[in-house]
Amino acid sequence: PDPPADARLAQLFERLFAAIDERRAELAAEGLPIPTPSPWEGLCLTALTTVVHLCQAAHDITVLPYAPLFLGGLLTMVDDAEPRVTQSARLAITCLAHMPFSRACVTKVVDVCRARIEPASSSWHVRTAVLGFLQILVFKCQFLLDGPAFETVRHIVFDMMSNERPEVRQLASQTVSGMVCLSARRDKLLRQFVDDACATGEAALKDPLPPRHRAANGADEAVVKEYG
């Protein structure tokens, strides 16, 4: 018998994202730019438009089990050289972030975020997209983010506060602010962020700017959000 419709959808997107990744790797190996406009752009925009439609049409049962798969592919396309693809990918990520995740799905999408930023080659475009996704996730799923998942988010955010790009550091600092404001463990979280920021600042007095900027931004955002 044929697989259910949602399973066929997942298989379609698995093949679609795999084809996009494979073609991207081939062009990079050949040192060739992606022509614009091109079938490549059309393929990416078709996938992105479909994801946005599924999310906005509230097809929760169809989308939710495959949110980690979608998120991985969307984060790849955020780093595309074509602006229309990048903009559409960010829109699709925002739509996906607003879905009513289950606790198990929250853990999986957080793991996808961690995997996407762990390679040193991850671009600042991908990192800001991850932070934007996590900001919404923390706000909408604060009661589902517990234990390892919450600690993973905290480490992701704090690590990106020392990124070389000021855009990434600033967005990470704003995410700290939201986490402190919304968390049921705000006292503990505030102490963790302030202690980490102070320790980083003391250890980085003779280091490049990003670690010091992380300390200043982290302490400032956390304290201002808590005490006004």
Side-chain angles (χ1 to χ4, degrees):
D2 292 337
D6 56 348
R8 294 199 300 271
L9 178 68
Q11 293 170 2
L12 170 63
F13 271 92
E14 284 177 350
R15 293 195 296 269
L16 186 58
F17 288 144
I20 290 172
D21 288 343
E22 181 179 352
R23 184 54 181 156
R24 184 193 301 274
E26 290 175 356
L27 291 170
E30 297 170 1
L32 299 175
I34 299 174
T36 301
S38 69
W40 160 274
E41 180 185 349
L43 179 64
C44 291
L45 291 176
T46 297
L48 294 169
T49 302
T50 304
V51 172
V52 170
H53 170 73
L54 288 170
C55 294
Q56 293 181 338
H59 293 168
D60 301 347
I61 303 303
T62 300
V63 174
L64 287 177
Y66 310 105
L69 165 66
F70 290 171
L71 181 59
L74 298 177
L75 288 172
T76 297
M77 285 187 273
V78 161
D79 204 24
D80 198 88
E82 170 53 47
R84 289 178 60 194
V85 173
T86 298
Q87 293 168 4
S88 297
R90 289 186 179 274
L91 172 61
I93 289 171
T94 299
C95 292
L96 191 64
H98 281 90
M99 299 303 291
F101 294 118
S102 65
R103 190 181 303 272
C105 198
V106 165
T107 299
K108 291 178 181 178
V109 295
V110 167
D111 288 341
V112 170
C113 290
R114 178 182 59 186
R116 285 290 171 169
I117 66 168
E118 280 184 346
S121 59
S122 291
S123 76
W124 70 274
H125 298 283
V126 173
R127 293 176 184 275
T128 55
V130 165
L131 285 168
F133 179 84
L134 290 178
Q135 282 186 346
I136 299 172
L137 191 73
V138 167
F139 178 77
K140 294 187 67 69
C141 302
Q142 54 182 298
F143 299 111
L144 302 179
L145 270 171
D146 54 8
F150 185 85
E151 283 302 305
T152 298
V153 172
R154 192 177 74 84
H155 285 298
I156 288 174
V157 173
F158 192 75
D159 287 346
M160 282 199 277
M161 287 172 65
S162 61
N163 189 267
E164 67 273 11
R165 296 287 303 204
E167 299 92 338
V168 176
R169 298 198 299 271
Q170 191 63 41
L171 191 56
S173 299
Q174 293 169 1
T175 308
V176 168
S177 175
M179 292 178 70
V180 170
C181 178
L182 295 172
S183 177
R185 302 177 294 275
R186 66 168 59 191
D187 291 339
K188 178 182 178 182
L189 185 59
L190 181 64
R191 287 196 300 272
Q192 286 177 319
F193 274 121
V194 172
D195 289 348
D196 287 346
C198 291
T200 300
E202 292 173 0
L205 289 176
K206 296 182 180 180
D207 287 348
L209 176 62
R212 300 201 305 276
H213 193 198
R214 172 172 75 175
N217 271 0
D220 178 69
E221 290 285 353
V223 172
V224 168
K225 180 58 67 174
E226 177 67 11
Y227 301 109

